[in-house]
Amino acid sequence: MWCGKSVWVCFLFGSVLFSQAVLEAHRTQVSISLSPRPSEGSPRKEDVMFDHKASLKIKMANVGEPSSDIKIQWVFLYDDIETSGKIKRGQLMDTIGLALGKGEEKTVESKELRLSGKISKKGQLTGMRYSGYGVRVYDAGKLVFEDYQPQNLKKEIAELCPVLSPPAVVTAPAPKPVAETSTAATATAEVKPAVPAGVVDQSGGVTILESTFSKEEAEALLKVVNEFSEDDLILKVGLVRQAAHNLVLKRPFQNIEDLPKVSYVKKTAMSSFKKYVEKK
């Protein structure tokens, strides 16, 4: 049941403002479900434990042309307060991709953030305290909607979850004049082999950028890349944020030989993947 505190945000985007976007008009509604917890700051007879939850629903309606490249970024922020009073900032985030046909409406839900802790007799909180959320919607690489509650979290969320860059338009350079070369030199250039993305051995293992994966490790790695959230790829595997972000945008992958084709996924990333699947 969708209950608790709700915040509704509506916005209409016209084709005049975003002439290159696929959608001519775009309506978005964001609502947050935040279950109640005991209030802090006031004394009580005994300590009170709490366990409450937060989740988002993003409702989208397309009244324009079909769009096959919509991406939704969402993030929750919270404070983890230790008994010593030390506060550690935490976050839960992900990116969701979808398509919308003309006249179609869809609602997507975020993962659930579970917050637990204790309110002491003196009214002091120990544990997790909800701070806020941010939502961004992109259409064909363009940012067409964003909502932050409260608004002062926009800068912090921008540092944790960078705005996606629109696809680059590549213009082929004019061909350079071909210098005259000897027949032998031309033949040598023609037979120079390209560097392979991965080398497969007889046992089914594969070596990619100096990291060798057995058949079982390659299967485990493919599952990790296709199923882990961006946050898990960073925190559990050890990837840099841009590498994790680009992998989430490009998946699903059919084989691990395609991973180095993704920007920022090079030798260091493959080494991190190797260390992770070895532990498993």
Side-chain angles (χ1 to χ4, degrees), residues 1-6 32-40 44 48-55 112-119 125 128-130:
M1 180 177 179
W2 190 252
C3 60
K5 178 183 176 184
S6 294
I32 177 172
S33 173
L34 186 61
S35 61
R37 64 166 173 79
S39 61
E40 56 182 299
R44 61 199 71 233
V48 178
M49 307 299 294
F50 66 84
D51 185 359
H52 69 128
K53 303 170 184 177
S55 59
E112 188 175 74
L113 173 64
R114 186 172 180 178
L115 305 119
S116 59
K118 179 183 72 174
I119 306 292
L125 184 148
M128 300 168 68
R129 177 198 286 145
Y130 172 79

Side-chain angles (χ1 to χ4, degrees), residues 206-226:
V206 59
T207 299
I208 302 175
L209 299 177
E210 300 182 17
S211 291
T212 301
F213 301 85
S214 67
K215 182 179 179 181
E216 293 75 17
E217 289 174 339
E219 292 173 353
L221 171 53
L222 199 59
K223 186 177 174 114
V224 166
V225 171
N226 285 330

Side-chain angles (χ1 to χ4, degrees), residues 176-197:
K176 295 182 180 179
V178 179
E180 292 185 4
T181 58
S182 66
T183 304
T186 303
T188 302
E190 290 175 349
V191 299
K192 184 178 180 180
V195 178

Side-chain angles (χ1 to χ4, degrees), residues 21-25 62-68 70 100-104 139:
V22 177
L23 298 179
E24 292 181 358
N62 176 24
V63 296
E65 294 303 313
S67 177
S68 60
I70 296 174
L100 274 177
K102 186 173 183 178
E104 188 176 8
D139 176 18

Side-chain angles (χ1 to χ4, degrees), residues 221-237:
L221 171 53
L222 199 59
K223 186 177 174 114
V224 166
V225 171
N226 285 330
E227 296 181 6
F228 271 27
S229 68
E230 182 177 321
D231 208 27
D232 285 342
L233 289 171
I234 296 168
L235 298 176
K236 294 183 179 180
V237 179

Side-chain angles (χ1 to χ4, degrees), residues 50 56 67 90 95 109 136 163 174 183 193-194 236 253 259 269-270:
F50 66 84
L56 293 170
S67 177
T95 300
E109 297 186 31
R136 300 194 194 106
V163 174
T183 304
K236 294 183 179 180
F253 295 91
L259 299 184
M270 296 310 299

Side-chain angles (χ1 to χ4, degrees), residues 40 79-89 118 120 124-129:
E40 56 182 299
D79 288 330
D80 196 352
I81 306 172
E82 300 178 0
T83 53
S84 63
K86 183 179 179 181
I87 300 176
K88 181 180 179 182
R89 197 62 147 174
K118 179 183 72 174
S120 71
Q124 295 177 333
L125 184 148
T126 303
M128 300 168 68
R129 177 198 286 145

